[in-house]
Amino acid sequence: MTTPEQAPGRASLPGEGPGTVPDAGLERWRLVLGSAAERHTGPLGPGNAGRDAALDWLYGRDPDLARRGVRRSGTAPREGGDGPSAVTAIDWLDDIHRLFPKETIERLERDAVEKYGIQEIVTDPAVLERVEPSQTLLRAVLRTKHLMNPQVLGLARRIVESVVKQLLAALRPEIRRAFHGTHSRRPSRVPLARDFDFRQTVRANLAHYQPAERRLLIERAHFHSRTRPQVTRWQLILLVDQSGSMAGSVIHSAVTAACLWGLPGLTTHLVAFDTQVVDLTSDVTDPVELLMRVQLGGGTNIARAVEYGAGLVENPRRTIVALITDFYEGGDPYRLVRAVRGLVEQGSTVLGLAALDEDADPDYDRLTAGKLASAGAHIGAMTPGRLAEFVAERLGR
């Protein structure tokens, strides 16, 4: 039987002999599997050894490794204990920005903040100056900004501004498109270039085709008509739970409200709540300032927020109340159901959204959500674009 060492064409293991080139595939497996796989893959080359050290600095603190008897990689032996690492968060950030592509950097920073709670990434001024702005870090800033001194808060604001700018650029065209009408099958007599019906024009003028010149003479051009929503005044009342688990929805609610602000026929309100209710409508045009006012965490009284929203309703049959929450009610659940039922019975549309973000991946109290559905609310999760489409459909009725 031929052994792996005798197999023809087998790539040499890294470090098998002087001058050998490390096998990229084996090195990749070594990075994935850790130091325990080194006897099968061979040692890492200098470049990947740095990547392995950066990965080990973060994922080596996973308590499950000790339970499974997995030893951390590295050349120097480590003693047990909880002493601080010689590598600081800022050293680690410098390393990963040098060693990994952007997508990997964002994943590593997200795990550092969300999985391992390395808060100095968003509270250390030196770190904030180097960190790559992302939604993960924005959520971390919103959770910890009450602990920041003015200098750190100013640096953290850079993250808020950068991420909000990215979200506005991505969401504004999608949201506005929902309100700008779509082409209709009906023809139009208004000759607008953007509504030119190429297929119908060609079909109607085929009799004027000149084979010798391979040219089609257009005797009459055809155009689409364009449908638009009615401009009857509607209200959209966004009630946003600012408990810690809803950070992503808070961010997207603020940006969505800014995108919807000023659209014809729509009045937008934005209200944040925990055990108290804060009307943020006056700050909707400045989502950065709005998010800097939000304070994540604390208890939750959803019923109080719904009752406040009910007080804003002017024309019930022209009102959409979007309750964005995980439905874990810290107040009176019966009071919440009564408040939602009251809105539905007077003719308002009530949306209960367990998530409003790009993933629309909710985690919520299904029992409470089921009770609100029985009271007439529409329960689900949406992306901001889908919420805009839903609102536009109502305005078009």
Side-chain angles (χ1 to χ4, degrees):
M1 187 175 85
T2 302
T3 65
E5 289 77 8
Q6 298 168 330
R10 184 186 68 85
S12 298
L13 291 176
E16 280 187 327
T20 58
V21 178
D23 183 278
L26 289 174
E27 282 201 301
R28 190 174 297 114
W29 276 112
R30 162 62 183 81
L31 286 171
V32 171
L33 299 173
S35 58
E38 196 160 297
R39 61 192 181 92
H40 299 289
T41 63
L44 294 168
N48 278 323
R51 294 185 180 92
D52 185 57
L55 294 171
D56 185 61
W57 184 88
L58 179 62
Y59 297 110
R61 62 190 70 218
D62 192 331
D64 192 50
L65 294 178
R67 184 183 63 80
R68 292 188 287 120
V70 178
R71 291 183 299 173
R72 294 179 62 170
S73 60
T75 56
R78 296 180 55 92
E79 300 294 334
D82 297 323
S85 170
V87 179
T88 65
I90 190 170
D91 295 329
W92 178 74
L93 279 171
D94 285 340
D95 287 342
I96 66 172
H97 278 257
R98 176 172 49 86
L99 296 168
F100 293 101
K102 182 178 179 180
E103 296 78 7
T104 306
I105 292 169
E106 292 176 353
R107 172 59 187 269
L108 292 172
E109 289 177 345
R110 180 170 72 246
D111 285 351
V113 173
E114 295 187 346
K115 190 172 182 179
Y116 299 109
I118 305 175
Q119 296 298 339
E120 57 261 43
I121 289 179
V122 289
T123 57
D124 185 331
V127 176
L128 280 171
E129 288 176 348
R130 289 168 170 77
V131 77
E132 185 76 26
S134 67
Q135 290 188 47
T136 294
L137 294 175
L138 174 52
R139 289 193 293 269
V141 166
L142 297 185
R143 292 189 181 105
T144 58
K145 61 186 174 65
H146 65 289
L147 304 173
M148 298 178 182
N149 61 43
Q151 178 195 3
V152 175
L153 199 59
L155 292 170
R157 190 182 183 93
R158 176 184 70 92
I159 293 176
V160 179
E161 291 173 346
S162 177
V163 177
V164 166
K165 183 178 179 180
Q166 294 170 14
L167 288 173
L168 282 171
L171 293 179
R172 183 172 277 135
E174 181 181 2
I175 289 174
R176 297 277 170 147
R177 193 179 305 121
F179 288 83
H180 286 170
T182 56
H183 287 129
S184 168
R185 291 182 181 274
R186 293 184 293 104
S188 171
R189 295 184 179 180
V190 181
L192 294 177
R194 67 179 183 180
D195 297 330
F196 180 67
D197 188 341
F198 176 81
R199 291 180 179 274
Q200 183 59 29
T201 298
V202 170
R203 187 180 297 114
N205 291 276
L206 284 175
H208 309 298
Y209 180 65
Q210 299 179 336
E213 300 180 21
R214 303 184 66 179
R215 184 172 60 174
L216 179 68
L217 298 179
I218 304 299
E219 183 177 283
R220 180 185 174 189
H222 291 257
F223 299 86
H224 294 287
S225 65
R226 185 172 287 267
T227 60
R228 281 188 177 272
Q230 301 288 334
V231 293
T232 306
R233 177 63 59 181
W234 276 72
Q235 278 182 287
L236 173 63
I237 302 172
L238 297 170
L239 305 175
V240 188
D241 186 341
Q242 59 179 352
S243 60
S245 61
M246 298 299 295
S249 292
V250 170
I251 294 167
H252 282 82
S253 297
V255 175
T256 300
C259 294
L260 294 172
W261 187 262
L263 286 174
L266 182 66
T267 299
T268 304
H269 306 264
L270 182 63
V271 177
F273 67 91
D274 42 33
T275 55
Q276 302 298 319
V277 176
V278 182
D279 196 324
L280 299 172
T281 303
S282 61
D283 290 321
V284 162
T285 55
D286 186 355
V288 173
E289 186 60 36
L290 189 154
L291 288 172
M292 295 304 288
R293 287 186 59 190
V294 166
Q295 185 58 64
L296 296 178
T300 309
N301 192 322
I302 309 174
R304 178 175 292 173
V306 174
E307 289 170 351
Y308 180 87
L312 298 174
V313 174
E314 297 173 0
N315 182 347
R317 297 190 179 278
R318 290 289 183 271
T319 299
I320 300 170
V321 179
L323 175 61
I324 304 164
T325 179
D326 55 13
F327 301 106
Y328 288 100
E329 174 63 294
D332 184 348
Y334 299 102
R335 177 182 167 193
L336 171 59
V337 173
R338 285 197 304 271
V340 168
R341 182 178 290 115
L343 281 168
V344 172
E345 288 177 348
Q346 70 181 6
S348 298
T349 300
V350 179
L351 294 177
L353 302 181
L356 181 69
D357 56 31
E358 71 277 13
D359 297 322
D361 185 15
D363 178 19
Y364 61 101
D365 184 339
R366 285 167 170 74
L367 180 61
T368 300
K371 292 177 180 178
L372 298 187
S374 298
H378 304 272
I379 304 297
M382 287 185 180
T383 62
R386 182 64 192 99
L387 175 61
E389 291 173 6
F390 183 92
V391 175
E393 289 169 3
R394 293 301 186 276
L395 265 67
R397 289 183 175 181

